[in-house]
Amino acid sequence: MKDLKIAIGADHGGFELKGQLLGFLREKGCAVQDCGTHSKEAVDYPRIAYTVARLVAAGQCDRGIMIDGAGIGSAMTANKVRGVRAAACYNVALAKNSRQHNDANVLTLGAGQTNFEQATQIVEAFLTEECVEERHRKRVQLINAVQEGPIEVGPHQATLLTGVGEPRVAPPAPSLDNIANPDLEKIAQRVQELLVAQHAPVPKPHGPPPLDIPQLIDHTILRPDTTRDDIEQLCREARQHKFYSVCVNPTWVSLARQLLDGSGVKVCCVVGFPLGAQPPESKAMEARAAIRQGAKEIDMVINVGALKSGDDGLVLRDIRSVVEACRDGSAKCKVILETSLLKNEEKARACELAVKARADFVKTSTGFSTGGATVEDVALMSRIVRDKGLGVKASGGVRTLADLRRMVQAGATRIGTSSGIKILQEAAGQEVTAGGAKY
């Protein structure tokens, strides 16, 4: 709970309970934004619930708490705000479930249903539990997707919805062509186990599968002198070679999205770049703006100075503010550590904070500091985050096929480079004509 920023509000019926909870939250070390009401005079709870919800959706506060007579009307109001997942909870079990299963970010309480002692237990559970299991996180993404338009449904549901919209029918069961590599590996392992059990000869593996190099690469151009022509060329190359994404500065997100429409290539945008010294609120707003314009991934730079000062609370809030913005916009968040400026203990601490903030990747470098990715740093980061489900992006100075292979062997799952074309030419055994553009 400590270091969380909480927006709290109440109508006249919840005024007394709000006052009691304000003291409780401050004792726990939370920063509290009191959204009113400030007396027992009758007020309209939707206005206050809306204010609480907006502060959370904008990344100004980590969580929200709203109190009215029953908690139901405030939950309905808050859930009208894009990016908010409000839950009315009357006991600790519901509060835990709302966080673990639904990643709720606004709690509503009923002052007529809950006393102060019960409320403190509910609030503590709501502020300390996390949504970490992948199956729940996928369902939260579906909840968020409803705000963007029709979501996929099954054939039966699609029949029921005929005439009321344009339902998207869920695709059939995956074929071998679209099963992820980890799933294929599990299938192959199970087949081998069955063959052994039946005393059948097990086929010998022929080495590791070939790398899908284009899908490892974020095709990147972040130079300050980048022009529209440069972005158009970058996107043409990404379309042609089917890179995973293009990584650009915020001013080019909208253009890149237009140029890549229908290609399957994602748009990645840097935030707080390249120094990371902006306050969390600025980074969150920058991320939300980029996502609205079409970014599907955000590479944010941490507050390096705060990390080196030992202010882990600020660094956590810094990362979490962008992660929440990404969650609300169904985007992925990569956390740039700027490893060349950090000691190994600081790199490890930054990785652990990224895990705690529920980021999707940790990333080595901006490419604008004193050094870029190293095999040692990638290996260290991978050891800390891989079991937690985070990816590792190696960036800065990855200019050759040999560089890419070394990073992947060390544990990198994504490569940020402006030398993608050169790397593909090397992989194909072609004469290298593309220069390694500087990050």
Side-chain angles (χ1 to χ4, degrees):
M1 290 175 62
K2 187 178 180 182
D3 299 319
L4 286 177
K5 188 171 183 179
I6 310 300
I8 186 170
D11 69 356
H12 50 287
F15 172 69
E16 287 188 2
L17 182 55
K18 174 176 73 82
Q20 293 172 316
L21 287 176
L22 279 168
F24 170 76
L25 291 167
R26 286 168 178 152
E27 286 177 4
K28 293 292 184 179
C30 297
V32 185
Q33 177 64 63
D34 186 351
C35 301
T37 187
H38 301 294
S39 74
K40 289 188 177 182
E41 293 183 14
V43 293
D44 296 323
Y45 66 82
R47 303 184 194 282
I48 300 169
Y50 172 77
T51 303
V52 170
R54 282 293 306 276
L55 288 172
V56 173
Q60 299 296 310
C61 293
D62 299 307
R63 309 270 169 79
I65 300 171
M66 177 65 195
I67 313 159
D68 62 27
I72 296 172
S74 290
M76 290 179 175
T77 303
N79 278 322
K80 298 292 185 183
V81 176
R82 182 184 296 273
V84 167
R85 296 174 298 280
C89 300
Y90 303 110
N91 56 49
V92 171
L94 289 176
K96 287 183 176 181
N97 186 280
S98 74
R99 289 289 303 143
Q100 293 172 350
H101 290 231
N102 311 118
D103 201 19
N105 51 15
V106 172
L107 167 69
T108 64
L109 296 169
Q113 320 297 321
T114 308
N115 61 35
F116 174 60
E117 182 180 358
Q118 294 167 331
T120 57
Q121 295 171 0
I122 292 169
V123 167
E124 187 158 13
F126 184 79
L127 298 183
T128 55
E129 295 294 330
E130 299 288 352
C131 179
V132 295
E133 292 194 30
E134 188 60 29
R135 70 182 191 278
H136 297 320
R137 293 174 66 174
K138 288 181 179 178
R139 289 161 188 161
V140 171
Q141 289 176 355
L142 276 177
I143 293 173
N144 292 336
V146 171
Q147 297 176 332
E148 307 301 327
I151 66 171
E152 293 176 346
V153 297
H156 175 63
Q157 291 80 22
T159 300
L160 296 175
L161 292 174
T162 301
V164 299
E166 297 293 334
R168 295 165 56 199
V169 181
S175 67
L176 288 176
D177 291 333
N178 54 22
I179 294 178
N181 284 338
D183 294 325
L184 285 173
E185 291 170 5
K186 290 178 182 177
I187 293 169
Q189 182 178 355
R190 182 57 181 153
V191 169
Q192 289 192 349
E193 290 171 354
L194 291 171
L195 288 171
V196 169
Q198 297 173 11
H199 306 290
V202 178
K204 294 182 179 180
H206 296 286
L211 291 175
D212 186 353
I213 292 174
Q215 284 296 292
L216 285 170
I217 291 177
D218 289 345
H219 197 35
T220 301
I221 188 165
L222 297 170
R223 299 192 319 268
D225 59 344
T226 297
T227 65
R228 183 186 180 95
D229 287 346
D230 292 329
I231 296 296
E232 291 174 350
Q233 176 67 19
L234 184 85
C235 292
R236 279 195 298 270
E237 292 171 348
R239 269 185 173 273
Q240 178 184 350
H241 298 286
K242 302 187 186 304
F243 289 121
Y244 187 86
S245 80
V246 297
C247 187
V248 297
N249 280 303
T251 191
W252 299 116
V253 168
S254 181
L255 175 61
R257 180 193 60 78
Q258 295 172 38
L259 294 172
L260 293 169
D261 187 38
S263 69
V265 180
K266 294 178 173 59
V267 178
C268 172
C269 177
V270 292
V271 161
F273 196 85
L275 301 180
Q278 301 89 335
E281 296 79 9
S282 297
K283 293 179 187 177
M285 286 190 290
E286 190 178 358
R288 290 181 189 279
I291 292 167
R292 284 195 299 270
Q293 292 171 11
K296 292 299 181 184
E297 297 196 342
I298 297 294
D299 287 15
M300 62 88 66
V301 188
I302 66 166
N303 190 322
V304 178
L307 182 76
K308 295 186 76 67
S309 300
D311 192 349
D312 287 4
L314 175 55
V315 178
L316 178 61
R317 187 159 65 89
D318 185 51
I319 300 171
R320 185 176 279 158
S321 68
V322 179
V323 169
E324 291 289 344
C326 289
R327 289 288 185 83
D328 294 342
S330 299
K332 291 186 181 297
C333 177
K334 307 193 202 84
V335 179
I336 306 175
L337 310 188
E338 202 65 280
T339 49
S340 63
L341 301 180
L342 304 178
K343 301 172 183 176
N344 282 346
E345 177 273 330
E346 292 167 334
K347 296 167 194 172
R349 226 169 67 237
C351 286
E352 289 161 0
L353 290 168
V355 170
K356 189 173 182 180
R358 293 173 293 136
D360 298 287
F361 278 77
V362 287
K363 175 179 171 181
T364 58
S365 319
T366 62
F368 281 82
S369 188
T370 57
T374 68
V375 167
E376 293 76 18
D377 286 342
V378 170
L380 182 153
M381 294 160 67
S382 179
R383 283 197 301 272
I384 296 170
V385 307
R386 64 188 173 200
D387 291 338
K388 307 297 193 304
L390 278 69
V392 177
K393 179 174 173 179
S395 62
V398 183
R399 298 190 178 96
T400 68
L401 178 61
D403 291 338
L404 180 144
R405 291 192 182 280
R406 282 194 293 269
M407 296 302 168
V408 171
Q409 288 168 2
T413 55
R414 191 81 64 81
I415 303 295
T417 180
S418 50
S419 301
I421 303 301
K422 176 187 176 195
I423 289 170
L424 291 183
Q425 289 171 344
E426 286 187 82
Q430 301 171 357
E431 181 181 354
V432 174
T433 58
K438 186 178 179 183
Y439 236 62

